[in-house]
Structure formats: C-alpha cells, structure tokens
Amino acid sequence: QQPVQSPQAVILREGEDAVINCSSSKALYSVHWYRQKHGEAPVFLMILLKGGEQKGHDKISASFNEKKQQSSLYLTASQLSYSGTYFCGTGGGGSNYKLTFGKGTLLTVNP
Amino acid sequence: SAVISQKPSRDICQRGTSLTIQCQVDSQVTMMFWYRQQPGQSLTLIATANQGSEATYESGFVIDKFPISRPNLTFSTLTVSNMSPEDSSIYLCSVEALGLAGGYNEQFFGPGTRLTVL
C-alpha cells in the first residue's frame, strides 16, 4: 500500500519552515525520507524505526507516530539547496529496506 | 557508504528489443534492489536481487519481462525484455549499506538509466 504524502507541493522563501507529512494505512516498521533533485538519484535524509530510534543527517528532523502510522519531516530555516522532491518510503516487516514510496512532495525554495 | 554506477546512463530503443542495465557497487552488499521511476513520478520497486538465488519480484513484475542476475555481491543486471513504449522510464538500482555517519544502514541509489522506447 503506497503511503500518502501531503502537501503535494510547497513554495517557500529562504528562511521559512515547512512540514511534509507521510501516512500509511498499514502498520509501519520504518519510515525513510529521501530528497531527489531533478535529474539526480534520491539521497537519504533520515530513517525512523519502530520503537523510537532515529538516524539521519544533521539539520533534518522528523517524527514517527506508530499509533497513527504517520511521519512528518521538519525543514526549518530553509535554504535554496533544500529544493527538490521529498519522498517518504515505508518498510514492512522482514526488510526495512524493501521500500514502498509515496508520490512525493515538490519543495521549491525561492530567494 | 556505497558508490553505485549504472550503465548505460540512457538509451533509446526500438519496440520489441531488449536492454540490459548494469549496476556496479564499490563494496560488497547483501541487499540490492531495482526500481522504476517514470518522469515526475514516484519510485516503484521491481524486485530484490538476491545473490546466488532467483530475484524476488513485486506484484505486477515478472521474471520473463524483467530478468535479473546477481552473480556476486557487487554487481547486478536488469534486463527489460520485449520492450514497448510503456517501458519508457528511469531504472535505478539501490543497495543497503552502512550510512555515511556510521551506526545505521542507508539505502543508496545509483544515478539511474533513462530508457526511451520508440
């Protein structure tokens, strides 16, 4: 089941904040966040695991509500380099890395 | 971390032909995956490439159409067989490997192969 991301697109000015949401209709074991710039491969941002463990790069924060089967990615004080499409990928039992990706959220940061 | 290269980077093919895409990783990895991404769309998992055994395909993808080889822990190929224009897409391989900061695994993606079928 494909997770649902919202919003589909968001436009920010540099320095503004944004939240991208990801929800699933089935139980989640892990949520992965990626950013993909046009014409490039997706790049890992963060993994959130059932039980509360989080691993990721600095300056990116996210939450994972297991009960609600939702995750949110928080982008604060956005920079031009944050522009791209953000995907959440959800992992099921058996393999955290066999991922089902959402449709993506296009983030545009303007000067 | 893992650095992944794919060949070819792009190709234009005729309907009914087949194309084999290669994926090379700079370190030994257990898990390798093949994804398809149509322009502006999400990533769809095709299959998990298993070393020493048959690939595991996702619903909607079959071995006859997308045969996969995984001869060792650093290399895999995906063949798109009997192509039609609907197969036009970007095909990406990915691997699970130790993250750049250590302590956890990340999924690293290759640069992709852009396929156009006429």
Side-chain angles (χ1 to χ4, degrees), chain A residues 1-10 19-25 28 31-36 42 45 69-73 75 84-90 99-107, chain B residues 37 40-43:
Chain A
Q1 212 89 7
Q2 185 176 41
V4 176
Q5 286 186 235
S6 62
Q8 290 184 331
V10 59
V19 180
I20 301 173
N21 301 302
C22 175
S23 65
S24 174
S25 59
L28 297 177
V31 179
H32 306 231
W33 287 96
Y34 288 82
R35 177 172 58 218
Q36 185 177 33
L45 296 175
Q69 294 159 192
Q70 292 176 348
S71 177
S72 295
L73 185 71
L75 302 166
T85 302
Y86 288 76
F87 292 99
C88 71
T90 55
L99 301 177
T100 303
F101 285 92
K103 291 189 175 181
T105 296
L106 177 62
L107 178 74
Chain B
Q37 184 178 34
Q41 302 297 314
S42 184
L43 299 106

mmCIF file of all heavy atoms in Angstrom, chain A residues 1-10 19-25 28 31-36 42 45 69-73 75 84-90 99-107, chain B residues 37 40-43:
data_model
loop_
_atom_site.group_PDB
_atom_site.id
_atom_site.type_symbol
_atom_site.label_atom_id
_atom_site.label_comp_id
_atom_site.label_asym_id
_atom_site.label_seq_id
_atom_site.Cartn_x
_atom_site.Cartn_y
_atom_site.Cartn_z
ATOM 1 N N GLN A 1 0.839 -1.182 0.000
ATOM 2 C CA GLN A 1 0.000 0.000 0.000
ATOM 3 C C GLN A 1 0.885 1.247 0.000
ATOM 4 O O GLN A 1 1.739 1.415 0.872
ATOM 5 C CB GLN A 1 -0.863 0.001 1.265
ATOM 6 C CG GLN A 1 -2.213 0.641 1.094
ATOM 7 C CD GLN A 1 -3.255 -0.367 0.632
ATOM 8 O OE1 GLN A 1 -2.985 -1.562 0.575
ATOM 9 N NE2 GLN A 1 -4.436 0.079 0.306
ATOM 10 N N GLN A 2 0.684 2.106 -0.978
ATOM 11 C CA GLN A 2 1.515 3.287 -1.118
ATOM 12 C C GLN A 2 1.190 4.305 -0.026
ATOM 13 O O GLN A 2 0.025 4.650 0.183
ATOM 14 C CB GLN A 2 1.288 3.912 -2.491
ATOM 15 C CG GLN A 2 2.198 5.088 -2.810
ATOM 16 C CD GLN A 2 2.005 5.608 -4.220
ATOM 17 O OE1 GLN A 2 0.880 5.715 -4.714
ATOM 18 N NE2 GLN A 2 3.098 5.934 -4.890
ATOM 19 N N PRO A 3 2.198 4.831 0.689
ATOM 20 C CA PRO A 3 1.908 5.866 1.683
ATOM 21 C C PRO A 3 1.455 7.145 0.983
ATOM 22 O O PRO A 3 1.792 7.388 -0.179
ATOM 23 C CB PRO A 3 3.254 6.067 2.389
ATOM 24 C CG PRO A 3 4.279 5.570 1.430
ATOM 25 C CD PRO A 3 3.626 4.493 0.626
ATOM 26 N N VAL A 4 0.708 7.944 1.732
ATOM 27 C CA VAL A 4 0.159 9.187 1.197
ATOM 28 C C VAL A 4 0.947 10.354 1.754
ATOM 29 O O VAL A 4 1.105 10.492 2.976
ATOM 30 C CB VAL A 4 -1.328 9.333 1.577
ATOM 31 C CG1 VAL A 4 -1.865 10.672 1.089
ATOM 32 C CG2 VAL A 4 -2.139 8.180 0.985
ATOM 33 N N GLN A 5 1.461 11.191 0.861
ATOM 34 C CA GLN A 5 2.212 12.356 1.286
ATOM 35 C C GLN A 5 1.381 13.619 1.097
ATOM 36 O O GLN A 5 0.595 13.740 0.164
ATOM 37 C CB GLN A 5 3.494 12.501 0.449
ATOM 38 C CG GLN A 5 4.560 11.497 0.797
ATOM 39 C CD GLN A 5 5.860 11.760 0.066
ATOM 40 O OE1 GLN A 5 6.371 10.872 -0.612
ATOM 41 N NE2 GLN A 5 6.409 12.959 0.219
ATOM 42 N N SER A 6 1.619 14.574 2.009
ATOM 43 C CA SER A 6 0.985 15.879 1.869
ATOM 44 C C SER A 6 1.924 16.942 2.423
ATOM 45 O O SER A 6 2.685 16.670 3.363
ATOM 46 C CB SER A 6 -0.359 15.910 2.614
ATOM 47 O OG SER A 6 -0.170 15.711 3.998
ATOM 48 N N PRO A 7 1.922 18.134 1.865
ATOM 49 C CA PRO A 7 1.212 18.512 0.650
ATOM 50 C C PRO A 7 1.891 17.945 -0.591
ATOM 51 O O PRO A 7 2.977 17.376 -0.492
ATOM 52 C CB PRO A 7 1.297 20.031 0.684
ATOM 53 C CG PRO A 7 2.611 20.306 1.350
ATOM 54 C CD PRO A 7 2.762 19.234 2.396
ATOM 55 N N GLN A 8 1.276 18.100 -1.741
ATOM 56 C CA GLN A 8 1.883 17.645 -2.996
ATOM 57 C C GLN A 8 3.010 18.569 -3.405
ATOM 58 O O GLN A 8 3.994 18.133 -4.016
ATOM 59 C CB GLN A 8 0.841 17.605 -4.110
ATOM 60 C CG GLN A 8 -0.181 16.500 -3.938
ATOM 61 C CD GLN A 8 -1.134 16.424 -5.114
ATOM 62 O OE1 GLN A 8 -1.413 17.426 -5.764
ATOM 63 N NE2 GLN A 8 -1.641 15.244 -5.390
ATOM 64 N N ALA A 9 2.849 19.854 -3.084
ATOM 65 C CA ALA A 9 3.874 20.830 -3.436
ATOM 66 C C ALA A 9 3.821 21.977 -2.445
ATOM 67 O O ALA A 9 2.768 22.273 -1.875
ATOM 68 C CB ALA A 9 3.660 21.351 -4.859
ATOM 69 N N VAL A 10 4.960 22.600 -2.247
ATOM 70 C CA VAL A 10 5.025 23.761 -1.359
ATOM 71 C C VAL A 10 6.111 24.698 -1.863
ATOM 72 O O VAL A 10 7.166 24.250 -2.335
ATOM 73 C CB VAL A 10 5.264 23.312 0.108
ATOM 74 C CG1 VAL A 10 6.559 22.525 0.226
ATOM 75 C CG2 VAL A 10 5.264 24.478 1.057
ATOM 76 N N VAL A 19 6.634 21.633 6.761
ATOM 77 C CA VAL A 19 6.410 20.286 7.287
ATOM 78 C C VAL A 19 5.825 19.434 6.171
ATOM 79 O O VAL A 19 4.880 19.848 5.500
ATOM 80 C CB VAL A 19 5.434 20.304 8.489
ATOM 81 C CG1 VAL A 19 5.234 18.876 9.003
ATOM 82 C CG2 VAL A 19 5.940 21.200 9.585
ATOM 83 N N ILE A 20 6.401 18.272 5.985
ATOM 84 C CA ILE A 20 5.899 17.317 4.993
ATOM 85 C C ILE A 20 5.430 16.074 5.736
ATOM 86 O O ILE A 20 6.150 15.550 6.588
ATOM 87 C CB ILE A 20 6.988 16.948 3.974
ATOM 88 C CG1 ILE A 20 7.475 18.201 3.246
ATOM 89 C CG2 ILE A 20 6.453 15.925 2.969
ATOM 90 C CD1 ILE A 20 8.673 17.953 2.346
ATOM 91 N N ASN A 21 4.235 15.631 5.414
ATOM 92 C CA ASN A 21 3.626 14.518 6.122
ATOM 93 C C ASN A 21 3.553 13.267 5.262
ATOM 94 O O ASN A 21 3.445 13.336 4.031
ATOM 95 C CB ASN A 21 2.214 14.907 6.572
ATOM 96 C CG ASN A 21 2.221 16.113 7.476
ATOM 97 O OD1 ASN A 21 2.861 16.122 8.517
ATOM 98 N ND2 ASN A 21 1.522 17.162 7.072
ATOM 99 N N CYS A 22 3.570 12.133 5.952
ATOM 100 C CA CYS A 22 3.525 10.835 5.290
ATOM 101 C C CYS A 22 2.665 9.922 6.149
ATOM 102 O O CYS A 22 2.938 9.767 7.340
ATOM 103 C CB CYS A 22 4.939 10.289 5.162
ATOM 104 S SG CYS A 22 5.083 8.618 4.499
ATOM 105 N N SER A 23 1.621 9.353 5.581
ATOM 106 C CA SER A 23 0.766 8.471 6.362
ATOM 107 C C SER A 23 0.505 7.185 5.603
ATOM 108 O O SER A 23 0.496 7.152 4.378
ATOM 109 C CB SER A 23 -0.561 9.163 6.703
ATOM 110 O OG SER A 23 -1.291 9.420 5.524
ATOM 111 N N SER A 24 0.263 6.134 6.383
ATOM 112 C CA SER A 24 0.075 4.814 5.796
ATOM 113 C C SER A 24 -1.172 4.176 6.372
ATOM 114 O O SER A 24 -1.541 4.422 7.521
ATOM 115 C CB SER A 24 1.294 3.946 6.068
ATOM 116 O OG SER A 24 1.079 2.619 5.620
ATOM 117 N N SER A 25 -1.799 3.323 5.571
ATOM 118 C CA SER A 25 -2.988 2.623 6.036
ATOM 119 C C SER A 25 -2.626 1.300 6.708
ATOM 120 O O SER A 25 -3.493 0.622 7.253
ATOM 121 C CB SER A 25 -3.942 2.359 4.866
ATOM 122 O OG SER A 25 -3.292 1.574 3.886
ATOM 123 N N LEU A 28 3.462 0.335 10.267
ATOM 124 C CA LEU A 28 4.788 0.720 9.776
ATOM 125 C C LEU A 28 5.873 0.183 10.703
ATOM 126 O O LEU A 28 5.749 0.238 11.920
ATOM 127 C CB LEU A 28 4.903 2.242 9.696
ATOM 128 C CG LEU A 28 3.952 2.955 8.734
ATOM 129 C CD1 LEU A 28 4.143 4.457 8.813
ATOM 130 C CD2 LEU A 28 4.169 2.458 7.317
ATOM 131 N N VAL A 31 10.226 4.235 8.563
ATOM 132 C CA VAL A 31 9.937 5.283 7.584
ATOM 133 C C VAL A 31 11.262 5.900 7.164
ATOM 134 O O VAL A 31 12.085 6.247 8.013
ATOM 135 C CB VAL A 31 9.011 6.372 8.158
ATOM 136 C CG1 VAL A 31 8.760 7.450 7.106
ATOM 137 C CG2 VAL A 31 7.692 5.768 8.625
ATOM 138 N N HIS A 32 11.450 6.028 5.876
ATOM 139 C CA HIS A 32 12.682 6.589 5.335
ATOM 140 C C HIS A 32 12.327 7.851 4.564
ATOM 141 O O HIS A 32 11.327 7.872 3.840
ATOM 142 C CB HIS A 32 13.354 5.602 4.374
ATOM 143 C CG HIS A 32 13.604 4.240 4.941
ATOM 144 N ND1 HIS A 32 14.841 3.629 4.872
ATOM 145 C CD2 HIS A 32 12.797 3.367 5.587
ATOM 146 C CE1 HIS A 32 14.763 2.444 5.450
ATOM 147 N NE2 HIS A 32 13.533 2.267 5.891
ATOM 148 N N TRP A 33 13.148 8.857 4.690
ATOM 149 C CA TRP A 33 12.947 10.100 3.948
ATOM 150 C C TRP A 33 14.108 10.335 2.996
ATOM 151 O O TRP A 33 15.279 10.185 3.374
ATOM 152 C CB TRP A 33 12.804 11.283 4.899
ATOM 153 C CG TRP A 33 11.493 11.317 5.624
ATOM 154 C CD1 TRP A 33 11.222 10.841 6.869
ATOM 155 C CD2 TRP A 33 10.271 11.867 5.136
ATOM 156 N NE1 TRP A 33 9.899 11.052 7.191
ATOM 157 C CE2 TRP A 33 9.302 11.690 6.146
ATOM 158 C CE3 TRP A 33 9.893 12.494 3.941
ATOM 159 C CZ2 TRP A 33 7.977 12.117 6.006
ATOM 160 C CZ3 TRP A 33 8.582 12.926 3.800
ATOM 161 C CH2 TRP A 33 7.641 12.742 4.821
ATOM 162 N N TYR A 34 13.773 10.717 1.754
ATOM 163 C CA TYR A 34 14.758 10.987 0.715
ATOM 164 C C TYR A 34 14.435 12.298 0.037
ATOM 165 O O TYR A 34 13.274 12.713 -0.036
ATOM 166 C CB TYR A 34 14.746 9.872 -0.353
ATOM 167 C CG TYR A 34 15.323 8.583 0.132
ATOM 168 C CD1 TYR A 34 14.562 7.701 0.885
ATOM 169 C CD2 TYR A 34 16.652 8.250 -0.146
ATOM 170 C CE1 TYR A 34 15.100 6.515 1.339
ATOM 171 C CE2 TYR A 34 17.189 7.063 0.318
ATOM 172 C CZ TYR A 34 16.410 6.208 1.062
ATOM 173 O OH TYR A 34 16.948 5.041 1.528
ATOM 174 N N ARG A 35 15.460 12.919 -0.470
ATOM 175 C CA ARG A 35 15.294 14.109 -1.310
ATOM 176 C C ARG A 35 15.899 13.810 -2.683
ATOM 177 O O ARG A 35 17.014 13.281 -2.781
ATOM 178 C CB ARG A 35 15.972 15.327 -0.711
ATOM 179 C CG ARG A 35 15.879 16.576 -1.589
ATOM 180 C CD ARG A 35 16.394 17.813 -0.861
ATOM 181 N NE ARG A 35 17.762 17.670 -0.420
ATOM 182 C CZ ARG A 35 18.208 18.152 0.753
ATOM 183 N NH1 ARG A 35 17.405 18.764 1.585
ATOM 184 N NH2 ARG A 35 19.475 18.010 1.066
ATOM 185 N N GLN A 36 15.173 14.185 -3.714
ATOM 186 C CA GLN A 36 15.663 13.964 -5.075
ATOM 187 C C GLN A 36 15.624 15.285 -5.839
ATOM 188 O O GLN A 36 14.554 15.891 -5.974
ATOM 189 C CB GLN A 36 14.816 12.915 -5.803
ATOM 190 C CG GLN A 36 15.341 12.554 -7.183
ATOM 191 C CD GLN A 36 14.515 11.465 -7.849
ATOM 192 O OE1 GLN A 36 13.306 11.376 -7.661
ATOM 193 N NE2 GLN A 36 15.170 10.617 -8.648
ATOM 194 N N PRO A 42 17.862 9.787 -5.802
ATOM 195 C CA PRO A 42 17.398 10.143 -4.450
ATOM 196 C C PRO A 42 18.541 10.036 -3.451
ATOM 197 O O PRO A 42 19.390 9.146 -3.550
ATOM 198 C CB PRO A 42 16.314 9.103 -4.159
ATOM 199 C CG PRO A 42 15.921 8.556 -5.491
ATOM 200 C CD PRO A 42 17.148 8.623 -6.335
ATOM 201 N N LEU A 45 17.906 10.979 3.717
ATOM 202 C CA LEU A 45 17.893 12.032 4.726
ATOM 203 C C LEU A 45 17.800 11.451 6.128
ATOM 204 O O LEU A 45 18.529 11.845 7.026
ATOM 205 C CB LEU A 45 16.699 12.972 4.492
ATOM 206 C CG LEU A 45 16.684 13.771 3.195
ATOM 207 C CD1 LEU A 45 15.385 14.548 3.074
ATOM 208 C CD2 LEU A 45 17.885 14.699 3.119
ATOM 209 N N GLN A 69 0.382 5.744 12.499
ATOM 210 C CA GLN A 69 1.032 5.316 11.261
ATOM 211 C C GLN A 69 1.371 6.518 10.390
ATOM 212 O O GLN A 69 1.069 6.552 9.197
ATOM 213 C CB GLN A 69 0.142 4.316 10.510
ATOM 214 C CG GLN A 69 -0.015 3.017 11.288
ATOM 215 C CD GLN A 69 -1.238 2.214 10.863
ATOM 216 O OE1 GLN A 69 -1.591 1.274 11.548
ATOM 217 N NE2 GLN A 69 -1.862 2.541 9.758
ATOM 218 N N GLN A 70 1.973 7.503 11.041
ATOM 219 C CA GLN A 70 2.309 8.748 10.347
ATOM 220 C C GLN A 70 3.739 9.174 10.669
ATOM 221 O O GLN A 70 4.248 8.895 11.758
ATOM 222 C CB GLN A 70 1.376 9.874 10.803
ATOM 223 C CG GLN A 70 -0.059 9.726 10.378
ATOM 224 C CD GLN A 70 -0.941 10.825 10.950
ATOM 225 O OE1 GLN A 70 -0.526 11.566 11.841
ATOM 226 N NE2 GLN A 70 -2.151 10.941 10.421
ATOM 227 N N SER A 71 4.321 9.874 9.720
ATOM 228 C CA SER A 71 5.614 10.503 9.954
ATOM 229 C C SER A 71 5.586 11.903 9.378
ATOM 230 O O SER A 71 4.862 12.178 8.396
ATOM 231 C CB SER A 71 6.733 9.694 9.289
ATOM 232 O OG SER A 71 7.985 10.331 9.447
ATOM 233 N N SER A 72 6.343 12.798 9.983
ATOM 234 C CA SER A 72 6.449 14.160 9.472
ATOM 235 C C SER A 72 7.916 14.556 9.394
ATOM 236 O O SER A 72 8.706 14.219 10.285
ATOM 237 C CB SER A 72 5.700 15.138 10.376
ATOM 238 O OG SER A 72 4.313 14.886 10.367
ATOM 239 N N LEU A 73 8.265 15.249 8.341
ATOM 240 C CA LEU A 73 9.622 15.760 8.144
ATOM 241 C C LEU A 73 9.587 17.271 8.337
ATOM 242 O O LEU A 73 8.738 17.956 7.761
ATOM 243 C CB LEU A 73 10.111 15.419 6.729
ATOM 244 C CG LEU A 73 11.548 15.774 6.396
ATOM 245 C CD1 LEU A 73 12.513 14.847 7.136
ATOM 246 C CD2 LEU A 73 11.796 15.687 4.891
ATOM 247 N N LEU A 75 11.437 20.840 8.057
ATOM 248 C CA LEU A 75 12.514 21.589 7.407
ATOM 249 C C LEU A 75 12.465 23.011 7.961
ATOM 250 O O LEU A 75 11.504 23.743 7.711
ATOM 251 C CB LEU A 75 12.308 21.593 5.889
ATOM 252 C CG LEU A 75 12.254 20.202 5.259
ATOM 253 C CD1 LEU A 75 11.708 20.255 3.854
ATOM 254 C CD2 LEU A 75 13.649 19.590 5.236
ATOM 255 N N GLY A 84 13.697 20.484 -4.034
ATOM 256 C CA GLY A 84 13.718 19.138 -4.614
ATOM 257 C C GLY A 84 12.410 18.441 -4.294
ATOM 258 O O GLY A 84 11.498 19.024 -3.713
ATOM 259 N N THR A 85 12.345 17.182 -4.675
ATOM 260 C CA THR A 85 11.173 16.378 -4.356
ATOM 261 C C THR A 85 11.511 15.465 -3.190
ATOM 262 O O THR A 85 12.518 14.765 -3.216
ATOM 263 C CB THR A 85 10.721 15.542 -5.568
ATOM 264 O OG1 THR A 85 10.431 16.418 -6.658
ATOM 265 C CG2 THR A 85 9.475 14.737 -5.222
ATOM 266 N N TYR A 86 10.662 15.487 -2.180
ATOM 267 C CA TYR A 86 10.873 14.691 -0.985
ATOM 268 C C TYR A 86 9.954 13.469 -1.033
ATOM 269 O O TYR A 86 8.755 13.588 -1.253
ATOM 270 C CB TYR A 86 10.578 15.521 0.271
ATOM 271 C CG TYR A 86 11.633 16.561 0.521
ATOM 272 C CD1 TYR A 86 11.669 17.733 -0.245
ATOM 273 C CD2 TYR A 86 12.609 16.393 1.501
ATOM 274 C CE1 TYR A 86 12.657 18.686 -0.052
ATOM 275 C CE2 TYR A 86 13.597 17.338 1.700
ATOM 276 C CZ TYR A 86 13.610 18.483 0.929
ATOM 277 O OH TYR A 86 14.600 19.425 1.116
ATOM 278 N N PHE A 87 10.558 12.325 -0.823
ATOM 279 C CA PHE A 87 9.805 11.070 -0.814
ATOM 280 C C PHE A 87 9.903 10.422 0.554
ATOM 281 O O PHE A 87 10.982 10.395 1.154
ATOM 282 C CB PHE A 87 10.370 10.078 -1.833
ATOM 283 C CG PHE A 87 10.168 10.467 -3.272
ATOM 284 C CD1 PHE A 87 11.194 11.069 -3.994
ATOM 285 C CD2 PHE A 87 8.964 10.216 -3.905
ATOM 286 C CE1 PHE A 87 11.021 11.418 -5.321
ATOM 287 C CE2 PHE A 87 8.780 10.563 -5.232
ATOM 288 C CZ PHE A 87 9.812 11.171 -5.936
ATOM 289 N N CYS A 88 8.791 9.914 1.026
ATOM 290 C CA CYS A 88 8.870 9.011 2.163
ATOM 291 C C CYS A 88 8.736 7.589 1.639
ATOM 292 O O CYS A 88 8.003 7.328 0.681
ATOM 293 C CB CYS A 88 7.810 9.310 3.219
ATOM 294 S SG CYS A 88 6.115 8.889 2.778
ATOM 295 N N GLY A 89 9.477 6.692 2.243
ATOM 296 C CA GLY A 89 9.427 5.284 1.896
ATOM 297 C C GLY A 89 9.130 4.502 3.156
ATOM 298 O O GLY A 89 9.729 4.747 4.201
ATOM 299 N N THR A 90 8.194 3.593 3.061
ATOM 300 C CA THR A 90 7.831 2.819 4.235
ATOM 301 C C THR A 90 8.287 1.380 4.081
ATOM 302 O O THR A 90 8.183 0.797 2.995
ATOM 303 C CB THR A 90 6.321 2.867 4.479
ATOM 304 O OG1 THR A 90 5.637 2.440 3.286
ATOM 305 C CG2 THR A 90 5.877 4.274 4.818
ATOM 306 N N LEU A 99 11.326 -0.907 0.209
ATOM 307 C CA LEU A 99 10.507 0.261 0.489
ATOM 308 C C LEU A 99 9.387 0.478 -0.510
ATOM 309 O O LEU A 99 9.544 0.230 -1.708
ATOM 310 C CB LEU A 99 11.399 1.513 0.509
ATOM 311 C CG LEU A 99 12.533 1.498 1.533
ATOM 312 C CD1 LEU A 99 13.374 2.754 1.398
ATOM 313 C CD2 LEU A 99 11.997 1.352 2.943
ATOM 314 N N THR A 100 8.273 1.000 0.017
ATOM 315 C CA THR A 100 7.181 1.499 -0.805
ATOM 316 C C THR A 100 7.179 3.008 -0.651
ATOM 317 O O THR A 100 7.032 3.513 0.469
ATOM 318 C CB THR A 100 5.836 0.915 -0.346
ATOM 319 O OG1 THR A 100 5.909 -0.514 -0.381
ATOM 320 C CG2 THR A 100 4.718 1.382 -1.261
ATOM 321 N N PHE A 101 7.327 3.715 -1.766
ATOM 322 C CA PHE A 101 7.469 5.155 -1.720
ATOM 323 C C PHE A 101 6.152 5.870 -1.976
ATOM 324 O O PHE A 101 5.306 5.404 -2.755
ATOM 325 C CB PHE A 101 8.490 5.632 -2.759
ATOM 326 C CG PHE A 101 9.911 5.361 -2.367
ATOM 327 C CD1 PHE A 101 10.543 4.191 -2.752
ATOM 328 C CD2 PHE A 101 10.624 6.270 -1.599
ATOM 329 C CE1 PHE A 101 11.854 3.927 -2.376
ATOM 330 C CE2 PHE A 101 11.938 6.022 -1.231
ATOM 331 C CZ PHE A 101 12.554 4.854 -1.609
ATOM 332 N N GLY A 102 5.992 7.023 -1.314
ATOM 333 C CA GLY A 102 4.881 7.907 -1.619
ATOM 334 C C GLY A 102 5.102 8.626 -2.936
ATOM 335 O O GLY A 102 6.162 8.472 -3.569
ATOM 336 N N LYS A 103 4.132 9.428 -3.331
ATOM 337 C CA LYS A 103 4.198 10.103 -4.631
ATOM 338 C C LYS A 103 5.120 11.303 -4.627
ATOM 339 O O LYS A 103 5.439 11.847 -5.692
ATOM 340 C CB LYS A 103 2.793 10.525 -5.067
ATOM 341 C CG LYS A 103 1.914 9.335 -5.410
ATOM 342 C CD LYS A 103 0.610 9.771 -6.038
ATOM 343 C CE LYS A 103 -0.176 8.539 -6.463
ATOM 344 N NZ LYS A 103 -1.456 8.896 -7.110
ATOM 345 N N GLY A 104 5.539 11.723 -3.448
ATOM 346 C CA GLY A 104 6.500 12.809 -3.383
ATOM 347 C C GLY A 104 5.868 14.162 -3.107
ATOM 348 O O GLY A 104 4.694 14.404 -3.402
ATOM 349 N N THR A 105 6.674 15.044 -2.524
ATOM 350 C CA THR A 105 6.288 16.436 -2.271
ATOM 351 C C THR A 105 7.340 17.329 -2.906
ATOM 352 O O THR A 105 8.532 17.230 -2.561
ATOM 353 C CB THR A 105 6.212 16.721 -0.769
ATOM 354 O OG1 THR A 105 5.177 15.941 -0.186
ATOM 355 C CG2 THR A 105 5.950 18.202 -0.520
ATOM 356 N N LEU A 106 6.910 18.172 -3.831
ATOM 357 C CA LEU A 106 7.844 19.072 -4.515
ATOM 358 C C LEU A 106 8.012 20.340 -3.686
ATOM 359 O O LEU A 106 7.057 21.080 -3.473
ATOM 360 C CB LEU A 106 7.325 19.407 -5.911
ATOM 361 C CG LEU A 106 8.172 20.400 -6.710
ATOM 362 C CD1 LEU A 106 9.573 19.833 -6.946
ATOM 363 C CD2 LEU A 106 7.506 20.734 -8.039
ATOM 364 N N LEU A 107 9.234 20.554 -3.214
ATOM 365 C CA LEU A 107 9.548 21.735 -2.414
ATOM 366 C C LEU A 107 10.385 22.694 -3.240
ATOM 367 O O LEU A 107 11.419 22.313 -3.775
ATOM 368 C CB LEU A 107 10.321 21.336 -1.149
ATOM 369 C CG LEU A 107 10.758 22.489 -0.257
ATOM 370 C CD1 LEU A 107 9.571 23.061 0.485
ATOM 371 C CD2 LEU A 107 11.826 22.038 0.735
ATOM 372 N N GLN B 37 11.169 4.481 -12.129
ATOM 373 C CA GLN B 37 10.611 5.795 -11.841
ATOM 374 C C GLN B 37 10.248 6.476 -13.145
ATOM 375 O O GLN B 37 11.145 6.819 -13.932
ATOM 376 C CB GLN B 37 11.587 6.661 -11.049
ATOM 377 C CG GLN B 37 11.011 8.003 -10.635
ATOM 378 C CD GLN B 37 11.969 8.838 -9.811
ATOM 379 O OE1 GLN B 37 13.179 8.803 -10.011
ATOM 380 N NE2 GLN B 37 11.432 9.623 -8.883
ATOM 381 N N GLY B 40 8.809 12.433 -13.190
ATOM 382 C CA GLY B 40 7.921 13.178 -12.308
ATOM 383 C C GLY B 40 7.085 12.322 -11.383
ATOM 384 O O GLY B 40 6.202 12.838 -10.700
ATOM 385 N N GLN B 41 7.377 11.030 -11.347
ATOM 386 C CA GLN B 41 6.567 10.123 -10.536
ATOM 387 C C GLN B 41 7.377 9.527 -9.392
ATOM 388 O O GLN B 41 8.560 9.820 -9.225
ATOM 389 C CB GLN B 41 6.010 8.989 -11.421
ATOM 390 C CG GLN B 41 5.168 9.456 -12.586
ATOM 391 C CD GLN B 41 3.925 10.180 -12.145
ATOM 392 O OE1 GLN B 41 3.216 9.731 -11.242
ATOM 393 N NE2 GLN B 41 3.649 11.326 -12.743
ATOM 394 N N SER B 42 6.719 8.656 -8.654
ATOM 395 C CA SER B 42 7.359 8.020 -7.513
ATOM 396 C C SER B 42 8.240 6.854 -7.962
ATOM 397 O O SER B 42 8.288 6.517 -9.145
ATOM 398 C CB SER B 42 6.278 7.523 -6.556
ATOM 399 O OG SER B 42 6.855 6.987 -5.396
ATOM 400 N N LEU B 43 8.940 6.274 -7.000
ATOM 401 C CA LEU B 43 9.781 5.105 -7.271
ATOM 402 C C LEU B 43 8.980 3.850 -6.964
ATOM 403 O O LEU B 43 8.394 3.722 -5.887
ATOM 404 C CB LEU B 43 11.031 5.125 -6.398
ATOM 405 C CG LEU B 43 11.940 6.316 -6.589
ATOM 406 C CD1 LEU B 43 11.839 7.282 -5.429
ATOM 407 C CD2 LEU B 43 13.385 5.853 -6.752
#
